[in-house]
């Protein structure tokens, strides 16, 4: 079993006992760094799970949202048909509460997702549809091809660009990125992270990958294509909580 290290620093800046986080958790939404949630609980936050597939309303009393990576390509139509919850999440974000999304959940927050079954063998129920989604991220998400290289999880270092997340410029977060979605952004978000990775692309040839990531806007605390490990970076937890309280 995975041993979760205790967060050694106690926050004197934020009362985490007032933080109530709605965490998406079902067969569609389940890919996350569990240590992040364990550390939030160790700090005093309360976690309430909900299902974006089955629940039509967000849990009562929450003041933050945490959306793990999701298999949007498998459940696109079921997610799209849950109009009530899509609207609830949109209103929640527009009211100023923080939303954190990682991996495939980033596509969930876009205006829509474009699904191409002719290039993705896993999409069998979408028939090339464009499905409308939450809409707080001003972008369209496009499903990429189904080859193994595209979908393999790649380790990335995320270099912090500014202090907006409660971290210092140059600080490094680490995580893994699934290369399933292409996010076509409009110029209405700010990038908080610079991603770097070295990976074997073909045969013995290695390639350096550098990307802008860490989407942030007035309605989004942080959305990243990477499953980030928050680790012992207390300022990140505190900033997330402060936006909720």
């Amino acid at each position: 079993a995975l041993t979760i290290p205790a967060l050694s620093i106690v926050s004197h800046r934020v009362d985490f006992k007032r933080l109530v986080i709605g965490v998406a958790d079902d067969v569609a939404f389940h890919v996350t760094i569990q240590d992040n949630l364990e550390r939030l609980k160790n700090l005093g936050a309360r976690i309430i799970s909900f299902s974006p597939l089955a629940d039509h309303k967000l849990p009562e009393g929450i003041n933050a949202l945490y959306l793990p990576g999701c298999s949007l390509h498998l459940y696109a139509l079921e997610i799209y048909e849950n109009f009530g919850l899509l609207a609830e999440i949109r209103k929640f974000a527009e009211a100023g509460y923080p939303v954190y999304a990682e991996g495939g959940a980033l596509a969930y927050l876009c205006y829509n997702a474009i699904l191409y079954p002719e290039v993705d063998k896993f999409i069998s129920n979408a028939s090339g549809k464009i499905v409308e989604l939450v809409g707080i991220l001003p972008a369209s998400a496009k499903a990429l091809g189904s080859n193994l290289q595209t979908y393999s999880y790649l380790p990335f270092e995320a270099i912090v660009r500014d202090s907006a997340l409660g971290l210092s410029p140059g600080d490094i977060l680490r995580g893994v990125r699934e290369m399933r979605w292409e996010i076509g952004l409009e110029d209405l978000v700010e990038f908080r992270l610079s991603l770097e990775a070295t990976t074997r692309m073909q045969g013995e040839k290695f390639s350096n990958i550098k990307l802008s990531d860490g989407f942030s806007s007035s309605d989004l605390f942080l959305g990243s294509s990477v499953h980030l490990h928050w680790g012992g970076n207390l300022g990140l937890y505190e900033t997330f909580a402060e936006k909720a309280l």
Side-chain angles (χ1 to χ4, degrees):
L2 177 65
T3 300
I4 303 298
L7 187 62
S8 58
I9 303 174
V10 176
S11 176
H12 298 289
R13 196 174 94 193
V14 179
D15 181 6
F16 277 87
K17 291 182 180 179
R18 296 170 53 210
L19 179 62
V20 185
I21 309 169
V23 178
D25 185 12
D26 58 21
V27 294
F29 289 75
H30 56 270
V31 182
T32 192
I33 306 295
Q34 190 64 31
D35 187 48
N36 296 344
L37 296 174
E38 292 297 328
R39 288 173 184 260
L40 282 164
K41 288 192 288 186
N42 288 343
L43 283 164
R46 181 184 173 198
I47 304 294
I48 302 178
S49 298
F50 71 97
S51 168
L53 288 176
D55 295 329
H56 300 294
K57 291 183 175 294
L58 290 172
E60 291 188 9
I62 64 171
N63 49 22
L65 269 182
Y66 190 113
L67 302 176
C70 70
S71 301
L72 182 60
H73 60 295
L74 294 178
Y75 298 96
L77 294 188
E78 292 91 335
I79 289 170
Y80 159 70
E81 289 170 354
N82 193 350
F83 306 113
L85 190 67
L86 293 175
E88 283 256 316
I89 293 175
R90 186 162 52 249
K91 291 177 183 177
F92 184 87
E94 289 173 348
Y97 294 106
V99 178
Y100 174 72
E102 59 182 329
L106 195 62
Y108 179 64
L109 295 183
C110 290
Y111 288 151
N112 56 50
I114 306 169
L115 306 172
Y116 294 108
E118 65 271 18
V119 298
D120 191 336
K121 65 183 179 182
F122 296 105
I123 298 174
S124 58
N125 66 345
S127 303
K129 288 182 178 291
I130 298 178
V131 293
E132 303 298 321
L133 297 168
V134 174
I136 67 171
L137 187 64
S140 292
K142 182 171 69 175
L144 300 178
S146 60
N147 63 78
L148 183 60
Q149 179 64 45
T150 299
Y151 291 165
S152 59
Y153 283 92
L154 299 178
F156 273 84
E157 286 191 342
I159 303 169
V160 177
R161 291 185 173 183
D162 57 37
S163 59
L165 300 177
L167 304 175
S168 298
D171 284 353
I172 293 177
L173 300 172
R174 291 178 173 85
V176 293
R177 183 175 189 262
E178 182 188 14
M179 315 283 276
R180 180 176 288 277
W181 295 96
E182 179 179 85
I183 308 295
L185 281 164
E186 299 173 11
D187 297 327
L188 297 176
V189 298
E190 296 181 73
F191 294 100
R192 303 299 185 194
L193 305 171
S194 297
L195 302 184
E196 294 186 5
T198 300
T199 184
R200 186 191 304 271
M201 299 301 289
Q202 292 181 346
E204 296 299 318
K205 186 176 181 181
F206 285 78
S207 176
N208 292 321
I209 301 175
K210 294 186 177 182
L211 302 167
S212 294
D213 195 78
F215 310 125
S216 183
S217 68
S218 59
D219 296 334
L220 180 63
F221 170 68
L222 179 64
S224 177
S225 61
V226 176
H227 299 281
L228 293 168
H229 184 208
W230 294 17
N233 295 289
L234 183 61
L236 182 56
Y237 299 88
E238 288 179 327
T239 303
F240 182 63
E242 284 175 335
K243 291 183 178 295
L245 302 177

